[in-house]
Amino acid sequence: MSETGDAKCTDTDLKRLEELARDAAVGSTMYDKRWVIENILQVGRHFQSTSYVQEDGFKELDEAIEEKMMTLWDISVEEDVSKFYLEYGVLDFFVELFSNPNLRVKEISMGIVSNMVYHESTFPSIMDKDICLEGTLKLLEEKDSPTLLIVFRCLHSFGYNLFNMIHRSDDSSKEESKNHVEKFLMFLSVPSVVQNIGFVMAGCKNRTVLQNCARFLSILSELWDFAEDRKKMCQHYSEEPFLQCTLEGIKESIGEDKTEKHFMVFLYLVFERDLEKDLYSTISTQTITLCGSLLKEHILEYSSIDECDLEFLFNISYVMKSCLDSGEYLRLPSNILTVTKDARKQLEKADIDEDHLENKVSILAMMSRILEYLDSCTKNGETLEGRPCGVTPRRSNHQGDSSPFFRTPRDTPRSLRDTPGRGSPWSSRTPGGASTPPWRTPR
């Protein structure tokens, strides 16, 4: 037989083997169905026959079972594997393990569920199962950082997929998408849930947990625009206790650029749409101080300001100006004027492309108003530190300043954000940009 004939025979044989492998594999992956099922069954039988509750705490996770669970977590990165899990009830099994007293069991189970929530093809079916979201929110009560980190990743995936779902829906499925969003927001508006998120921000020192929390809050605040009753959905998030917790989270995250950008998206949307006037007296002093810190420790630390930094600077400036305009602060930091001037100079020097030049001009105008106000506080050589409320001269109204909101810059890209662009003047990304990818097991 010729070499050509041998090659054709080999090609045919290989194709047949590939077809056999696909028949036995999970979807388009190379994971054998029998092998996956055996791992699931061994894990399931273990937890059916083993109690992890002990008088002195909880039983340590068996190493062999931990390894199998980690394997199931790893392969859930594959969309077809997550589909397979969903089809055969594996999701429900791992959600049940959320109640296991062993923290490692909670973490791995949450990791698997989080990866399943991430995939767009499995997400709609998961949204139909209230038990998944209920169980995830219940884990906010945990004090374990690895578990909380994945909980917030999962909640962000919920929000991200819902955002994309409602924007991509045609007329026939629009109502279903709105119902999913409404249900998600209802779950998140429960006072105990809001309180637990606040506790994490106020007490957590793990910056990765805080970053994931900030990412979640930024997408949550964008989803409020689609609620039938926005005020009801965001009520507890715009009250003093939660905002104080948010400020603590911001304070702890100084130096973490992406975290602070997400936190400031959340604060901007609350200040712009939802904050009651009587709350300014309780949060303005601390908020102004933190805005100054963000200018000093972030904006002034950049080698240069580019287009993707404009929204961050806008949000800082807007929130600071809102607090100053309220006149409800007790004191101002002694360096706030100098820091703001330096930040404005930094922006003036920024080489911003023509498409985003209007954004730059708008922010410069807002910062000029802030500086005019602060300058009026220091006339005659008076210092800002410790200045009581009511003594500080209020700036006179300028034309076009009927509200603290001058002009929203437009079309700034969100290249450093993994929250989809909202339907606002800042949006230039189309919904469906890359979210954070599913997670493999930390080793």
PDB file of all heavy atoms in Angstrom, residues 193-229:
ATOM      1  N   VAL A 193     -29.818  41.475  54.179  1.00  0.00           N
ATOM      2  CA  VAL A 193     -28.794  41.313  53.135  1.00  0.00           C
ATOM      3  C   VAL A 193     -27.948  42.577  53.037  1.00  0.00           C
ATOM      4  O   VAL A 193     -26.713  42.528  53.010  1.00  0.00           O
ATOM      5  CB  VAL A 193     -29.453  40.990  51.778  1.00  0.00           C
ATOM      6  CG1 VAL A 193     -28.418  41.040  50.652  1.00  0.00           C
ATOM      7  CG2 VAL A 193     -30.131  39.628  51.815  1.00  0.00           C
ATOM      8  N   VAL A 194     -28.613  43.733  52.995  1.00  0.00           N
ATOM      9  CA  VAL A 194     -27.898  45.016  52.928  1.00  0.00           C
ATOM     10  C   VAL A 194     -26.999  45.175  54.149  1.00  0.00           C
ATOM     11  O   VAL A 194     -25.838  45.604  54.040  1.00  0.00           O
ATOM     12  CB  VAL A 194     -28.897  46.183  52.843  1.00  0.00           C
ATOM     13  CG1 VAL A 194     -28.165  47.514  52.743  1.00  0.00           C
ATOM     14  CG2 VAL A 194     -29.829  46.007  51.644  1.00  0.00           C
ATOM     15  N   GLN A 195     -27.507  44.795  55.298  1.00  0.00           N
ATOM     16  CA  GLN A 195     -26.729  44.900  56.538  1.00  0.00           C
ATOM     17  C   GLN A 195     -25.487  44.020  56.482  1.00  0.00           C
ATOM     18  O   GLN A 195     -24.393  44.455  56.884  1.00  0.00           O
ATOM     19  CB  GLN A 195     -27.608  44.501  57.723  1.00  0.00           C
ATOM     20  CG  GLN A 195     -26.949  44.686  59.078  1.00  0.00           C
ATOM     21  CD  GLN A 195     -27.877  44.270  60.207  1.00  0.00           C
ATOM     22  OE1 GLN A 195     -28.292  43.121  60.295  1.00  0.00           O
ATOM     23  NE2 GLN A 195     -28.218  45.222  61.068  1.00  0.00           N
ATOM     24  N   ASN A 196     -25.619  42.806  55.967  1.00  0.00           N
ATOM     25  CA  ASN A 196     -24.476  41.897  55.892  1.00  0.00           C
ATOM     26  C   ASN A 196     -23.403  42.415  54.946  1.00  0.00           C
ATOM     27  O   ASN A 196     -22.203  42.296  55.224  1.00  0.00           O
ATOM     28  CB  ASN A 196     -24.935  40.494  55.460  1.00  0.00           C
ATOM     29  CG  ASN A 196     -25.668  39.760  56.559  1.00  0.00           C
ATOM     30  OD1 ASN A 196     -25.436  39.990  57.743  1.00  0.00           O
ATOM     31  ND2 ASN A 196     -26.582  38.879  56.183  1.00  0.00           N
ATOM     32  N   ILE A 197     -23.823  42.998  53.818  1.00  0.00           N
ATOM     33  CA  ILE A 197     -22.848  43.593  52.891  1.00  0.00           C
ATOM     34  C   ILE A 197     -22.132  44.752  53.575  1.00  0.00           C
ATOM     35  O   ILE A 197     -20.910  44.909  53.457  1.00  0.00           O
ATOM     36  CB  ILE A 197     -23.551  44.066  51.604  1.00  0.00           C
ATOM     37  CG1 ILE A 197     -24.159  42.870  50.857  1.00  0.00           C
ATOM     38  CG2 ILE A 197     -22.565  44.804  50.699  1.00  0.00           C
ATOM     39  CD1 ILE A 197     -25.042  43.264  49.689  1.00  0.00           C
ATOM     40  N   GLY A 198     -22.892  45.556  54.313  1.00  0.00           N
ATOM     41  CA  GLY A 198     -22.289  46.674  55.045  1.00  0.00           C
ATOM     42  C   GLY A 198     -21.285  46.195  56.079  1.00  0.00           C
ATOM     43  O   GLY A 198     -20.202  46.783  56.224  1.00  0.00           O
ATOM     44  N   PHE A 199     -21.614  45.131  56.799  1.00  0.00           N
ATOM     45  CA  PHE A 199     -20.695  44.578  57.798  1.00  0.00           C
ATOM     46  C   PHE A 199     -19.373  44.162  57.160  1.00  0.00           C
ATOM     47  O   PHE A 199     -18.296  44.349  57.738  1.00  0.00           O
ATOM     48  CB  PHE A 199     -21.323  43.374  58.491  1.00  0.00           C
ATOM     49  CG  PHE A 199     -22.393  43.730  59.492  1.00  0.00           C
ATOM     50  CD1 PHE A 199     -23.329  42.783  59.904  1.00  0.00           C
ATOM     51  CD2 PHE A 199     -22.470  45.001  60.037  1.00  0.00           C
ATOM     52  CE1 PHE A 199     -24.312  43.103  60.821  1.00  0.00           C
ATOM     53  CE2 PHE A 199     -23.451  45.334  60.957  1.00  0.00           C
ATOM     54  CZ  PHE A 199     -24.372  44.383  61.352  1.00  0.00           C
ATOM     55  N   VAL A 200     -19.452  43.573  55.960  1.00  0.00           N
ATOM     56  CA  VAL A 200     -18.221  43.154  55.273  1.00  0.00           C
ATOM     57  C   VAL A 200     -17.350  44.362  54.978  1.00  0.00           C
ATOM     58  O   VAL A 200     -16.152  44.367  55.257  1.00  0.00           O
ATOM     59  CB  VAL A 200     -18.555  42.396  53.971  1.00  0.00           C
ATOM     60  CG1 VAL A 200     -17.278  42.126  53.176  1.00  0.00           C
ATOM     61  CG2 VAL A 200     -19.257  41.080  54.270  1.00  0.00           C
ATOM     62  N   MET A 201     -17.944  45.409  54.414  1.00  0.00           N
ATOM     63  CA  MET A 201     -17.157  46.598  54.064  1.00  0.00           C
ATOM     64  C   MET A 201     -16.580  47.279  55.300  1.00  0.00           C
ATOM     65  O   MET A 201     -15.453  47.781  55.271  1.00  0.00           O
ATOM     66  CB  MET A 201     -18.024  47.584  53.288  1.00  0.00           C
ATOM     67  CG  MET A 201     -18.378  47.125  51.891  1.00  0.00           C
ATOM     68  SD  MET A 201     -19.133  48.434  50.910  1.00  0.00           S
ATOM     69  CE  MET A 201     -20.693  48.654  51.780  1.00  0.00           C
ATOM     70  N   ALA A 202     -17.342  47.304  56.356  1.00  0.00           N
ATOM     71  CA  ALA A 202     -16.901  48.014  57.563  1.00  0.00           C
ATOM     72  C   ALA A 202     -15.816  47.263  58.313  1.00  0.00           C
ATOM     73  O   ALA A 202     -14.971  47.886  58.959  1.00  0.00           O
ATOM     74  CB  ALA A 202     -18.095  48.253  58.479  1.00  0.00           C
ATOM     75  N   GLY A 203     -15.835  45.930  58.246  1.00  0.00           N
ATOM     76  CA  GLY A 203     -14.913  45.152  59.080  1.00  0.00           C
ATOM     77  C   GLY A 203     -13.852  44.372  58.351  1.00  0.00           C
ATOM     78  O   GLY A 203     -12.915  43.878  58.980  1.00  0.00           O
ATOM     79  N   CYS A 204     -13.958  44.246  57.029  1.00  0.00           N
ATOM     80  CA  CYS A 204     -13.030  43.387  56.290  1.00  0.00           C
ATOM     81  C   CYS A 204     -11.723  44.117  55.990  1.00  0.00           C
ATOM     82  O   CYS A 204     -11.721  45.269  55.559  1.00  0.00           O
ATOM     83  CB  CYS A 204     -13.682  42.916  54.987  1.00  0.00           C
ATOM     84  SG  CYS A 204     -12.660  41.777  54.048  1.00  0.00           S
ATOM     85  N   LYS A 205     -10.614  43.441  56.199  1.00  0.00           N
ATOM     86  CA  LYS A 205      -9.290  43.991  55.884  1.00  0.00           C
ATOM     87  C   LYS A 205      -8.703  43.335  54.636  1.00  0.00           C
ATOM     88  O   LYS A 205      -7.608  43.697  54.201  1.00  0.00           O
ATOM     89  CB  LYS A 205      -8.327  43.782  57.062  1.00  0.00           C
ATOM     90  CG  LYS A 205      -8.795  44.409  58.370  1.00  0.00           C
ATOM     91  CD  LYS A 205      -8.915  45.909  58.274  1.00  0.00           C
ATOM     92  CE  LYS A 205      -9.351  46.534  59.591  1.00  0.00           C
ATOM     93  NZ  LYS A 205      -9.538  47.997  59.471  1.00  0.00           N
ATOM     94  N   ASN A 206      -9.419  42.369  54.089  1.00  0.00           N
ATOM     95  CA  ASN A 206      -8.949  41.672  52.889  1.00  0.00           C
ATOM     96  C   ASN A 206      -9.310  42.513  51.666  1.00  0.00           C
ATOM     97  O   ASN A 206     -10.474  42.666  51.321  1.00  0.00           O
ATOM     98  CB  ASN A 206      -9.594  40.288  52.807  1.00  0.00           C
ATOM     99  CG  ASN A 206      -9.049  39.457  51.657  1.00  0.00           C
ATOM    100  OD1 ASN A 206      -9.030  39.899  50.521  1.00  0.00           O
ATOM    101  ND2 ASN A 206      -8.607  38.251  51.963  1.00  0.00           N
ATOM    102  N   ARG A 207      -8.302  43.034  51.008  1.00  0.00           N
ATOM    103  CA  ARG A 207      -8.556  43.980  49.918  1.00  0.00           C
ATOM    104  C   ARG A 207      -9.138  43.309  48.676  1.00  0.00           C
ATOM    105  O   ARG A 207      -9.805  43.965  47.884  1.00  0.00           O
ATOM    106  CB  ARG A 207      -7.267  44.729  49.573  1.00  0.00           C
ATOM    107  CG  ARG A 207      -6.842  45.690  50.683  1.00  0.00           C
ATOM    108  CD  ARG A 207      -5.789  46.661  50.232  1.00  0.00           C
ATOM    109  NE  ARG A 207      -5.672  47.779  51.161  1.00  0.00           N
ATOM    110  CZ  ARG A 207      -5.031  48.913  50.877  1.00  0.00           C
ATOM    111  NH1 ARG A 207      -4.465  49.064  49.686  1.00  0.00           N
ATOM    112  NH2 ARG A 207      -4.968  49.877  51.766  1.00  0.00           N
ATOM    113  N   THR A 208      -8.873  42.022  48.503  1.00  0.00           N
ATOM    114  CA  THR A 208      -9.463  41.321  47.365  1.00  0.00           C
ATOM    115  C   THR A 208     -10.961  41.154  47.569  1.00  0.00           C
ATOM    116  O   THR A 208     -11.752  41.272  46.624  1.00  0.00           O
ATOM    117  CB  THR A 208      -8.803  39.952  47.168  1.00  0.00           C
ATOM    118  OG1 THR A 208      -7.381  40.100  47.140  1.00  0.00           O
ATOM    119  CG2 THR A 208      -9.237  39.318  45.856  1.00  0.00           C
ATOM    120  N   VAL A 209     -11.368  40.873  48.802  1.00  0.00           N
ATOM    121  CA  VAL A 209     -12.801  40.794  49.106  1.00  0.00           C
ATOM    122  C   VAL A 209     -13.453  42.147  48.854  1.00  0.00           C
ATOM    123  O   VAL A 209     -14.522  42.236  48.238  1.00  0.00           O
ATOM    124  CB  VAL A 209     -13.029  40.354  50.567  1.00  0.00           C
ATOM    125  CG1 VAL A 209     -14.511  40.460  50.930  1.00  0.00           C
ATOM    126  CG2 VAL A 209     -12.546  38.923  50.786  1.00  0.00           C
ATOM    127  N   LEU A 210     -12.806  43.218  49.308  1.00  0.00           N
ATOM    128  CA  LEU A 210     -13.363  44.559  49.114  1.00  0.00           C
ATOM    129  C   LEU A 210     -13.451  44.922  47.634  1.00  0.00           C
ATOM    130  O   LEU A 210     -14.404  45.574  47.206  1.00  0.00           O
ATOM    131  CB  LEU A 210     -12.514  45.590  49.861  1.00  0.00           C
ATOM    132  CG  LEU A 210     -12.626  45.553  51.396  1.00  0.00           C
ATOM    133  CD1 LEU A 210     -11.608  46.494  52.024  1.00  0.00           C
ATOM    134  CD2 LEU A 210     -14.041  45.916  51.847  1.00  0.00           C
ATOM    135  N   GLN A 211     -12.477  44.494  46.841  1.00  0.00           N
ATOM    136  CA  GLN A 211     -12.528  44.777  45.405  1.00  0.00           C
ATOM    137  C   GLN A 211     -13.725  44.088  44.762  1.00  0.00           C
ATOM    138  O   GLN A 211     -14.446  44.685  43.964  1.00  0.00           O
ATOM    139  CB  GLN A 211     -11.247  44.316  44.714  1.00  0.00           C
ATOM    140  CG  GLN A 211     -11.229  44.649  43.229  1.00  0.00           C
ATOM    141  CD  GLN A 211      -9.989  44.151  42.541  1.00  0.00           C
ATOM    142  OE1 GLN A 211      -9.911  43.001  42.113  1.00  0.00           O
ATOM    143  NE2 GLN A 211      -8.994  45.018  42.420  1.00  0.00           N
ATOM    144  N   ASN A 212     -13.964  42.835  45.130  1.00  0.00           N
ATOM    145  CA  ASN A 212     -15.101  42.118  44.570  1.00  0.00           C
ATOM    146  C   ASN A 212     -16.424  42.701  45.062  1.00  0.00           C
ATOM    147  O   ASN A 212     -17.411  42.742  44.322  1.00  0.00           O
ATOM    148  CB  ASN A 212     -15.001  40.634  44.908  1.00  0.00           C
ATOM    149  CG  ASN A 212     -14.034  39.900  44.000  1.00  0.00           C
ATOM    150  OD1 ASN A 212     -14.398  39.461  42.914  1.00  0.00           O
ATOM    151  ND2 ASN A 212     -12.793  39.770  44.437  1.00  0.00           N
ATOM    152  N   CYS A 213     -16.436  43.156  46.309  1.00  0.00           N
ATOM    153  CA  CYS A 213     -17.622  43.814  46.844  1.00  0.00           C
ATOM    154  C   CYS A 213     -17.901  45.103  46.075  1.00  0.00           C
ATOM    155  O   CYS A 213     -19.048  45.394  45.709  1.00  0.00           O
ATOM    156  CB  CYS A 213     -17.435  44.110  48.324  1.00  0.00           C
ATOM    157  SG  CYS A 213     -18.837  44.940  49.103  1.00  0.00           S
ATOM    158  N   ALA A 214     -16.867  45.891  45.810  1.00  0.00           N
ATOM    159  CA  ALA A 214     -17.022  47.149  45.080  1.00  0.00           C
ATOM    160  C   ALA A 214     -17.522  46.898  43.657  1.00  0.00           C
ATOM    161  O   ALA A 214     -18.389  47.627  43.151  1.00  0.00           O
ATOM    162  CB  ALA A 214     -15.696  47.906  45.045  1.00  0.00           C
ATOM    163  N   ARG A 215     -16.988  45.879  43.009  1.00  0.00           N
ATOM    164  CA  ARG A 215     -17.433  45.538  41.656  1.00  0.00           C
ATOM    165  C   ARG A 215     -18.912  45.180  41.662  1.00  0.00           C
ATOM    166  O   ARG A 215     -19.672  45.582  40.767  1.00  0.00           O
ATOM    167  CB  ARG A 215     -16.620  44.354  41.114  1.00  0.00           C
ATOM    168  CG  ARG A 215     -15.168  44.683  40.806  1.00  0.00           C
ATOM    169  CD  ARG A 215     -14.377  43.438  40.437  1.00  0.00           C
ATOM    170  NE  ARG A 215     -14.947  42.769  39.282  1.00  0.00           N
ATOM    171  CZ  ARG A 215     -15.440  41.531  39.294  1.00  0.00           C
ATOM    172  NH1 ARG A 215     -15.466  40.827  40.413  1.00  0.00           N
ATOM    173  NH2 ARG A 215     -15.923  40.988  38.198  1.00  0.00           N
ATOM    174  N   PHE A 216     -19.311  44.418  42.662  1.00  0.00           N
ATOM    175  CA  PHE A 216     -20.722  44.040  42.762  1.00  0.00           C
ATOM    176  C   PHE A 216     -21.606  45.266  42.977  1.00  0.00           C
ATOM    177  O   PHE A 216     -22.648  45.422  42.335  1.00  0.00           O
ATOM    178  CB  PHE A 216     -20.917  43.038  43.895  1.00  0.00           C
ATOM    179  CG  PHE A 216     -22.332  42.955  44.372  1.00  0.00           C
ATOM    180  CD1 PHE A 216     -23.333  42.472  43.545  1.00  0.00           C
ATOM    181  CD2 PHE A 216     -22.685  43.409  45.633  1.00  0.00           C
ATOM    182  CE1 PHE A 216     -24.660  42.436  43.971  1.00  0.00           C
ATOM    183  CE2 PHE A 216     -23.994  43.374  46.065  1.00  0.00           C
ATOM    184  CZ  PHE A 216     -24.986  42.876  45.228  1.00  0.00           C
ATOM    185  N   LEU A 217     -21.214  46.164  43.883  1.00  0.00           N
ATOM    186  CA  LEU A 217     -22.033  47.354  44.159  1.00  0.00           C
ATOM    187  C   LEU A 217     -22.159  48.240  42.928  1.00  0.00           C
ATOM    188  O   LEU A 217     -23.208  48.851  42.694  1.00  0.00           O
ATOM    189  CB  LEU A 217     -21.432  48.147  45.314  1.00  0.00           C
ATOM    190  CG  LEU A 217     -21.594  47.536  46.710  1.00  0.00           C
ATOM    191  CD1 LEU A 217     -20.891  48.406  47.748  1.00  0.00           C
ATOM    192  CD2 LEU A 217     -23.065  47.355  47.069  1.00  0.00           C
ATOM    193  N   SER A 218     -21.106  48.319  42.113  1.00  0.00           N
ATOM    194  CA  SER A 218     -21.177  49.180  40.928  1.00  0.00           C
ATOM    195  C   SER A 218     -22.202  48.644  39.927  1.00  0.00           C
ATOM    196  O   SER A 218     -22.965  49.422  39.343  1.00  0.00           O
ATOM    197  CB  SER A 218     -19.797  49.328  40.274  1.00  0.00           C
ATOM    198  OG  SER A 218     -19.337  48.105  39.724  1.00  0.00           O
ATOM    199  N   ILE A 219     -22.261  47.315  39.740  1.00  0.00           N
ATOM    200  CA  ILE A 219     -23.241  46.769  38.797  1.00  0.00           C
ATOM    201  C   ILE A 219     -24.640  46.785  39.408  1.00  0.00           C
ATOM    202  O   ILE A 219     -25.620  47.022  38.724  1.00  0.00           O
ATOM    203  CB  ILE A 219     -22.845  45.348  38.334  1.00  0.00           C
ATOM    204  CG1 ILE A 219     -23.802  44.844  37.234  1.00  0.00           C
ATOM    205  CG2 ILE A 219     -22.836  44.357  39.479  1.00  0.00           C
ATOM    206  CD1 ILE A 219     -23.781  45.667  35.989  1.00  0.00           C
ATOM    207  N   LEU A 220     -24.737  46.570  40.715  1.00  0.00           N
ATOM    208  CA  LEU A 220     -26.039  46.626  41.382  1.00  0.00           C
ATOM    209  C   LEU A 220     -26.664  48.006  41.212  1.00  0.00           C
ATOM    210  O   LEU A 220     -27.846  48.139  40.879  1.00  0.00           O
ATOM    211  CB  LEU A 220     -25.896  46.294  42.861  1.00  0.00           C
ATOM    212  CG  LEU A 220     -27.167  46.448  43.709  1.00  0.00           C
ATOM    213  CD1 LEU A 220     -28.219  45.422  43.288  1.00  0.00           C
ATOM    214  CD2 LEU A 220     -26.846  46.314  45.196  1.00  0.00           C
ATOM    215  N   SER A 221     -25.879  49.051  41.428  1.00  0.00           N
ATOM    216  CA  SER A 221     -26.404  50.416  41.335  1.00  0.00           C
ATOM    217  C   SER A 221     -26.820  50.755  39.907  1.00  0.00           C
ATOM    218  O   SER A 221     -27.692  51.596  39.700  1.00  0.00           O
ATOM    219  CB  SER A 221     -25.369  51.422  41.848  1.00  0.00           C
ATOM    220  OG  SER A 221     -24.150  51.316  41.134  1.00  0.00           O
ATOM    221  N   GLU A 222     -26.201  50.118  38.923  1.00  0.00           N
ATOM    222  CA  GLU A 222     -26.615  50.340  37.542  1.00  0.00           C
ATOM    223  C   GLU A 222     -27.939  49.644  37.243  1.00  0.00           C
ATOM    224  O   GLU A 222     -28.733  50.123  36.427  1.00  0.00           O
ATOM    225  CB  GLU A 222     -25.525  49.846  36.592  1.00  0.00           C
ATOM    226  CG  GLU A 222     -24.157  50.428  36.908  1.00  0.00           C
ATOM    227  CD  GLU A 222     -23.446  50.959  35.697  1.00  0.00           C
ATOM    228  OE1 GLU A 222     -24.133  51.295  34.720  1.00  0.00           O
ATOM    229  OE2 GLU A 222     -22.212  51.043  35.745  1.00  0.00           O
ATOM    230  N   LEU A 223     -28.182  48.517  37.877  1.00  0.00           N
ATOM    231  CA  LEU A 223     -29.418  47.770  37.648  1.00  0.00           C
ATOM    232  C   LEU A 223     -30.636  48.484  38.240  1.00  0.00           C
ATOM    233  O   LEU A 223     -31.769  48.217  37.815  1.00  0.00           O
ATOM    234  CB  LEU A 223     -29.317  46.362  38.238  1.00  0.00           C
ATOM    235  CG  LEU A 223     -28.438  45.369  37.467  1.00  0.00           C
ATOM    236  CD1 LEU A 223     -28.295  44.073  38.253  1.00  0.00           C
ATOM    237  CD2 LEU A 223     -29.008  45.090  36.089  1.00  0.00           C
ATOM    238  N   TRP A 224     -30.432  49.355  39.214  1.00  0.00           N
ATOM    239  CA  TRP A 224     -31.562  50.071  39.809  1.00  0.00           C
ATOM    240  C   TRP A 224     -32.348  50.873  38.758  1.00  0.00           C
ATOM    241  O   TRP A 224     -33.535  51.134  38.930  1.00  0.00           O
ATOM    242  CB  TRP A 224     -31.081  51.010  40.910  1.00  0.00           C
ATOM    243  CG  TRP A 224     -30.621  50.298  42.144  1.00  0.00           C
ATOM    244  CD1 TRP A 224     -30.975  49.058  42.567  1.00  0.00           C
ATOM    245  CD2 TRP A 224     -29.697  50.807  43.113  1.00  0.00           C
ATOM    246  NE1 TRP A 224     -30.339  48.746  43.755  1.00  0.00           N
ATOM    247  CE2 TRP A 224     -29.545  49.808  44.106  1.00  0.00           C
ATOM    248  CE3 TRP A 224     -28.990  51.987  43.251  1.00  0.00           C
ATOM    249  CZ2 TRP A 224     -28.720  49.962  45.215  1.00  0.00           C
ATOM    250  CZ3 TRP A 224     -28.157  52.149  44.351  1.00  0.00           C
ATOM    251  CH2 TRP A 224     -28.025  51.149  45.318  1.00  0.00           C
ATOM    252  N   ASP A 225     -31.677  51.260  37.683  1.00  0.00           N
ATOM    253  CA  ASP A 225     -32.366  52.018  36.634  1.00  0.00           C
ATOM    254  C   ASP A 225     -33.494  51.220  35.993  1.00  0.00           C
ATOM    255  O   ASP A 225     -34.397  51.797  35.387  1.00  0.00           O
ATOM    256  CB  ASP A 225     -31.373  52.440  35.539  1.00  0.00           C
ATOM    257  CG  ASP A 225     -30.524  53.630  35.968  1.00  0.00           C
ATOM    258  OD1 ASP A 225     -30.948  54.351  36.884  1.00  0.00           O
ATOM    259  OD2 ASP A 225     -29.447  53.837  35.380  1.00  0.00           O
ATOM    260  N   PHE A 226     -33.438  49.897  36.105  1.00  0.00           N
ATOM    261  CA  PHE A 226     -34.439  49.048  35.461  1.00  0.00           C
ATOM    262  C   PHE A 226     -35.533  48.603  36.423  1.00  0.00           C
ATOM    263  O   PHE A 226     -36.421  47.844  36.043  1.00  0.00           O
ATOM    264  CB  PHE A 226     -33.766  47.815  34.842  1.00  0.00           C
ATOM    265  CG  PHE A 226     -32.635  48.156  33.915  1.00  0.00           C
ATOM    266  CD1 PHE A 226     -31.314  47.954  34.291  1.00  0.00           C
ATOM    267  CD2 PHE A 226     -32.896  48.699  32.667  1.00  0.00           C
ATOM    268  CE1 PHE A 226     -30.276  48.278  33.450  1.00  0.00           C
ATOM    269  CE2 PHE A 226     -31.859  49.038  31.808  1.00  0.00           C
ATOM    270  CZ  PHE A 226     -30.541  48.824  32.198  1.00  0.00           C
ATOM    271  N   ALA A 227     -35.466  49.060  37.658  1.00  0.00           N
ATOM    272  CA  ALA A 227     -36.465  48.661  38.654  1.00  0.00           C
ATOM    273  C   ALA A 227     -37.742  49.470  38.477  1.00  0.00           C
ATOM    274  O   ALA A 227     -37.702  50.664  38.143  1.00  0.00           O
ATOM    275  CB  ALA A 227     -35.918  48.866  40.062  1.00  0.00           C
ATOM    276  N   GLU A 228     -38.865  48.826  38.700  1.00  0.00           N
ATOM    277  CA  GLU A 228     -40.143  49.538  38.637  1.00  0.00           C
ATOM    278  C   GLU A 228     -40.250  50.547  39.775  1.00  0.00           C
ATOM    279  O   GLU A 228     -40.821  51.621  39.611  1.00  0.00           O
ATOM    280  CB  GLU A 228     -41.297  48.535  38.702  1.00  0.00           C
ATOM    281  CG  GLU A 228     -41.443  47.677  37.455  1.00  0.00           C
ATOM    282  CD  GLU A 228     -42.679  46.818  37.504  1.00  0.00           C
ATOM    283  OE1 GLU A 228     -43.492  46.995  38.435  1.00  0.00           O
ATOM    284  OE2 GLU A 228     -42.847  45.963  36.612  1.00  0.00           O
ATOM    285  N   ASP A 229     -39.694  50.188  40.929  1.00  0.00           N
ATOM    286  CA  ASP A 229     -39.710  51.095  42.082  1.00  0.00           C
ATOM    287  C   ASP A 229     -38.272  51.243  42.568  1.00  0.00           C
ATOM    288  O   ASP A 229     -37.828  50.548  43.479  1.00  0.00           O
ATOM    289  CB  ASP A 229     -40.607  50.529  43.192  1.00  0.00           C
ATOM    290  CG  ASP A 229     -40.794  51.506  44.347  1.00  0.00           C
ATOM    291  OD1 ASP A 229     -40.080  52.524  44.394  1.00  0.00           O
ATOM    292  OD2 ASP A 229     -41.654  51.236  45.214  1.00  0.00           O
TER     293      ASP A 229
END
